[in-house]
Amino acid sequence: MDQQQTPHPAQAGAESIVCSHCGAVAEGPPPTWTCSVENGARHYFCDDCARANIRAIEGRLDSDWW
């Protein structure tokens, strides 16, 4: 089984991380943001978006649903 992993944005050469929901930008790895893997791709959510949608995140709903 050859699965391709999405590289972590905190690796060398990474510029900034963007919230997949609202578009907020964080310089460097934000320790309080939420990371969700959907269809093999990593999605990052800022504190505000994660807090507003925590039930959907815990229910493992794809972000398209919220």
Side-chain angles (χ1 to χ4, degrees), residues 2-8 11 37 40-42:
D2 185 25
Q3 292 182 352
Q4 183 179 6
Q5 292 185 355
T6 304
H8 194 280
Q11 291 178 351
V37 178
R42 290 184 182 177

Side-chain angles (χ1 to χ4, degrees), residues 2 4-5 11 15 20-21 23 31 47 56 64:
D2 185 25
Q4 183 179 6
Q5 292 185 355
Q11 291 178 351
E15 294 176 12
S20 295
H21 195 69
D47 296 332
D64 293 340

Side-chain angles (χ1 to χ4, degrees), residues 8-42:
H8 194 280
Q11 291 178 351
E15 294 176 12
S16 59
I17 300 171
V18 178
C19 176
S20 295
H21 195 69
C22 72
V25 178
E27 296 299 327
T32 58
W33 281 29
T34 300
C35 176
S36 175
V37 178
E38 301 173 10
N39 298 322
R42 290 184 182 177

